[in-house]
Amino acid sequence: MPEPELLPWQWPEETWRAKVERVRAGRNLKPSAWKDGARCAVALSFDVDHETNELRDGGNSVGRLSWGQYGNRVGMPRILDLMKKEDIKASFFVPAVTALLYPDEQRRVIAEGHEVGLHGWIHEVNTAVPPDAERELHLRSADTLEKVTGVRPVGMRTPSWDFSEVTLAVERELGLLYDSSLFADDDPYELVEKGEPTGIVELPVEWIRDDAVYFNMNRFQALRPYTAPEAVFDIFRREFDRAYEEGGLFLLTMHPHVITYRSRIWILEKLIAHIKEMPGVWFARHDEIAAFVKAEAGI
């Protein structure tokens, strides 16, 4: 009979240490000053999931698919019009299936000076996909986004920020500039794989700075995580204010099917107005920030 698998409390040190050290935060890449002497960098990002949340789960709910379509019909036009009005460039992380469903949407994103980054094939959960399949999906997604937009993606945000044991190796194979899926700091840092610096910049995320956790619900489960828009604005503003005070990075994650409703879009509008009141703020795409900190660190 095969030996029973050890429980975590039975693991020898080499087992738990190897798990911890597989992917780690390396050197801090926060610069002494941002581009053109700016005090703070602001990175606005949008995860353009649309229908892929329902498709990923193998669902057949026309209602949930229509919620995804709202992101295309209403959400993205509102976001892109606001970015144009405020003269801000942002990063859009796009599942390849979304790009295939709405190629003109992604072409508009690129045409208006924004960035399109990798966000999986169909918003799959990386840790639930076999390693070889995960690699193939990421490579196929990169080829698809390049074919649709004419621009090869240089950054990845894993779907649901789910990072498997092989994700970093695939990112290295793709030659990516940065990742934006992990949580080990407030400011940019270099990713280290099994003790080896990779040269890949991590632009860290956090659920606190994500719109979905405050507004999403599932009517078939006992989950009603709803927060008043005024409270969400206050949280985002406080996150920016402390980043500004520390001279760091403020990175915000939003979703076209979440933030753009009439009672919510003002959160982003008012937040941008607040940020613009502060001197020395650099609004930039994720790829621009990653390239800047990497050059400053001499990586």
Side-chain angles (χ1 to χ4, degrees), residues 145-208:
L145 291 185
E146 183 178 21
K147 183 176 180 180
V148 169
T149 68
V151 179
R152 186 79 174 176
V154 299
M156 179 187 293
R157 172 168 293 157
T158 58
S160 303
W161 299 341
D162 188 62
F163 208 94
S164 82
E165 295 181 355
V166 301
T167 302
L168 182 53
V170 178
E171 291 181 329
R172 297 180 76 177
E173 182 179 351
L174 283 166
L176 296 186
L177 169 65
Y178 74 89
D179 175 80
S180 186
S181 316
L182 300 176
F183 305 81
D185 207 315
D186 295 309
D187 296 310
Y189 57 88
E190 182 179 11
L191 287 175
V192 173
E193 184 175 28
K194 298 178 182 177
E196 177 190 0
T198 65
I200 295 178
V201 176
E202 180 62 35
L203 300 180
V205 293
E206 171 49 49
W207 294 111
I208 295 169

Side-chain angles (χ1 to χ4, degrees), residues 117-136:
L118 291 161
H119 198 47
W121 175 257
I122 199 166
H123 210 273
E124 63 278 359
V125 177
N126 284 340
T127 52
V129 175
D132 288 346
E134 180 187 345
R135 174 184 176 275
E136 193 275 329

Side-chain angles (χ1 to χ4, degrees), residues 33-69:
W34 297 92
K35 186 178 180 181
D36 298 328
R39 178 183 180 88
C40 179
V42 173
L44 301 182
S45 62
F46 302 90
D47 292 359
V48 191
D49 301 336
H50 294 354
E51 289 94 337
T52 61
N53 284 309
E54 180 69 2
L55 294 173
R56 170 203 60 205
D57 295 335
N60 296 305
S61 170
V62 174
R64 287 186 61 83
L65 291 170
S66 72
W67 186 30
Q69 191 178 14

